[in-house]
Amino acid sequence: MRVLIVGAGGREHTLAFCVSKSPHAQKVYVSPGNPGMEDVTTTVTGEMSPPELVELVKKEHIELVVIGPEQPLVGGLADILRDEGVSVFGPGREGAKLEGSKAFAKEFMEEFSIPTAKVSFASNLDEARDIARDWNGLPVLKADGLAAGKGVFLPDSLEELESVLMDIFVHRKLGSSGECLLFEERLFGPEISLFMLRNETGFTYLGSARDHKRAYEGDLGPNTGGMGTISPAEELSPEEKVQAQQIMEKTHNGLLSRGIDYRGIIFIGAMRTEDGLKVLEYNVRFGDPETQSLLPRVDDDILLLLKKTAEGGKLPAGVSYRHGAGVCVCIASEGYPLKAASAQKVTLLPRDEGVLLFHAGTKKIDGELMAVGGRVFSLVAFADNVEQARSRVYKNIDNIQFAGMWYRKDI
Ligand code: AMP
Ligand code: GLY
């Protein structure tokens, strides 16, 4: 089978790696891709527009397209490709609203009794100030649209809250993403990411992971795209497992009842509160860096699972795992996430067998591998349990070297 993966980060590198392992993978294309993927795929295409992707798919007889990031999904790339008769893993524009619009996601959760934080909506400064005045305690503020991870605020004082309102409604710092603002009840508890493959026929629970979103050790510092993950996350209690199953079922049935033909992965961001599991958000794609520690653990043929999901075939009741646990540590450039770094030459020394390195912020410049900023690499190790996987990953981390690199030591 000829497959195209859309995206350029550590998540897409992991997808390309897992798909390439399938005996059914004939040729794997990645667009735009990154230099690390050259080891596991046939072709890294570089940046392409949707019409160019359609042309590539036709010319190369690609049978399955897997869309990695949320922006092309929210933009309707899956619909464009499906209209050309291609099988696509990833929801169309309507299903992608579960991530693309937090208001849509909240209304969906309320309609189908999916446990979540209480919410109020404001569309201008006066409404927002009225809600804030009547709010019991401090809310979480969320911009409705995609905001590249910058649309959620957890103000610690009324002054901070007012300054967020000014930024959104007066200084328009989030543009159209901030046209509708959600006030959410602030929940407390550890977070967990749950993954389910889903199409019209049903869903398959793929597993869990726990992200480390803050930049510095001890969960301090600014928010990032995620500095590392463990998979599985800490075990849920028997009651929480029942709740997780109900959340997945209600999500699946909600999509059926709304007539949304959703074929892809649903990433449920949940919080383990004293009142049980509550959904914080839906994502309509694999997590980054959750995928790096989760997907290579799965023993089933990933390509066949993705294809079946995309084609609307009957999904299996569950998956089996080849590794008990995975730990992923992201290695970032100097200044991430606050400022951009200049390109730095990378030296890669040999790693222990089975320890995987996925690229994100790398480029080849004059034939040399360079770190060009952000989260540059994900280093991942697997073992029977999280403790062993963690010690394996940190034992290998000094084999990646570039000036200014840093990582969290407490994943
Ligand atoms: P989201 O993009 O909605 O997942 O929000 C990003 C992060 O903000 C989450 O991973 C949580 O750490 C935090 N967060 C979001 N909603 C809430 C909430 N209602 N209560 C407490 N923390 C929240
Ligand atoms: N690591 C968080 C995300 O992928 O949304």
Side-chain angles (χ1 to χ4, degrees):
M1 198 188 321
R2 298 155 83 87
V3 187
L4 167 66
I5 295 168
V6 176
R11 162 182 52 209
E12 288 78 22
H13 192 175
T14 312
L15 280 162
F17 171 82
C18 293
V19 163
S20 307
K21 281 201 161 324
S22 165
H24 301 277
Q26 196 187 345
K27 239 181 157 187
V28 182
Y29 299 76
V30 190
S31 176
N34 70 45
M37 298 173 181
E38 284 161 9
D39 290 346
V40 292
T41 68
T42 327
T43 310
V44 175
T45 70
E47 199 69 50
M48 292 178 112
S49 66
E52 287 168 336
L53 287 171
V54 168
E55 210 182 298
L56 176 77
V57 161
K58 286 186 169 166
K59 192 164 138 261
E60 300 298 327
H61 305 289
I62 287 165
E63 292 156 81
L64 174 68
V65 181
V66 181
I67 303 175
E70 60 275 24
Q71 296 86 351
L73 290 165
V74 170
L77 180 60
D79 301 307
I80 295 172
L81 290 163
R82 283 193 185 110
D83 284 347
E84 299 290 335
V86 188
S87 292
V88 183
F89 181 91
R93 198 190 285 274
E94 192 60 19
K97 283 188 189 159
L98 279 181
E99 175 164 2
S101 165
K102 288 186 186 289
F104 178 92
K106 280 305 239 194
E107 280 156 8
F108 181 91
M109 290 182 230
E110 287 187 344
E111 180 176 347
F112 299 107
S113 308
I114 293 163
T116 186
K118 289 191 194 73
V119 70
S120 292
F121 301 95
S123 54
N124 58 53
L125 187 61
D126 289 341
E127 270 175 30
R129 282 186 171 149
D130 283 347
I131 297 170
R133 197 172 313 115
D134 295 338
W135 200 267
N136 186 10
L138 285 162
V140 177
L141 301 172
K142 297 185 177 182
D144 176 41
L146 283 188
K150 298 194 168 57
V152 177
F153 307 88
L154 293 102
D156 286 321
S157 64
L158 287 174
E159 292 70 37
E160 228 182 283
L161 192 159
E162 171 66 14
S163 110
V164 175
L165 297 188
M166 291 298 284
D167 280 350
I168 287 180
F169 289 116
V170 179
H171 309 306
R172 298 267 162 207
K173 285 205 177 154
L174 291 175
S176 62
S177 286
E179 278 167 10
C180 169
L181 184 69
L182 281 72
F183 278 66
E184 247 188 48
E185 170 197 8
R186 189 158 178 168
L187 302 175
F188 297 92
E191 289 179 47
I192 183 164
S193 308
L194 305 169
F195 296 87
M196 60 188 267
L197 296 171
R198 191 270 176 200
N199 66 21
E200 296 295 282
T201 72
F203 64 91
T204 302
Y205 175 57
L206 206 56
S208 71
R210 186 165 62 78
D211 197 4
H212 295 68
K213 286 210 171 88
R214 299 295 191 109
Y216 312 132
E217 272 121 46
D219 290 327
L220 299 173
N223 252 321
T224 70
M227 293 304 297
T229 50
I230 61 169
S231 175
E234 291 81 358
E235 184 153 350
L236 297 176
S237 70
E239 298 78 42
E240 288 172 323
K241 283 185 186 161
V242 172
Q243 290 160 3
Q245 182 66 22
Q246 287 170 344
I247 288 170
M248 291 191 285
E249 273 168 19
K250 287 179 178 175
T251 302
H252 170 66
N253 290 330
L255 288 166
L256 278 183
S257 117
R258 288 247 184 130
I260 300 175
D261 181 11
Y262 190 111
R263 303 171 183 215
I265 187 110
I266 303 180
F267 159 2
I268 299 168
M271 196 174 257
R272 304 173 64 186
T273 74
E274 282 185 355
D275 299 327
L277 218 50
K278 297 208 176 172
V279 178
L280 294 182
E281 63 167 350
Y282 286 116
N283 296 303
V284 298
R285 39 140 185 117
F286 281 99
D288 189 347
E290 285 87 344
T291 308
Q292 288 88 313
S293 59
L294 169 70
L295 212 56
R297 289 180 48 228
V298 175
D299 202 25
D300 303 54
D301 187 315
I302 301 286
L303 175 53
L304 294 187
L305 277 175
L306 299 179
K307 183 164 182 276
K308 200 166 260 190
T309 309
E311 289 179 349
K314 178 129 187 59
L315 293 175
V319 295
S320 51
Y321 299 95
R322 78 180 72 197
H323 303 290
V327 173
C328 165
V329 178
C330 292
I331 301 171
S333 279
E334 188 171 4
Y336 175 79
L338 302 175
K339 58 181 179 36
S342 56
Q344 299 293 337
K345 184 175 169 330
V346 176
T347 305
L348 298 179
L349 302 174
R351 302 177 298 277
D352 290 344
E353 204 186 326
V355 176
L356 305 177
L357 184 69
F358 296 119
H359 293 222
T362 63
K363 261 205 180 114
K364 279 249 173 83
I365 303 178
D366 296 331
E368 294 221 81
L369 184 67
M370 307 291 284
V372 292
R375 292 178 297 171
V376 179
F377 293 109
S378 296
L379 188 69
V380 201
F382 302 92
D384 290 344
N385 58 50
V386 167
E387 290 68 36
Q388 286 169 8
R390 183 180 289 127
S391 73
R392 245 167 100 67
V393 80
Y394 283 113
K395 177 170 167 270
N396 280 271
I397 210 154
D398 292 339
N399 299 330
I400 292 118
Q401 299 169 355
F402 62 91
M405 67 175 260
W406 65 275
Y407 54 88
R408 269 182 68 162
K409 299 185 179 61
D410 63 345
I411 301 301

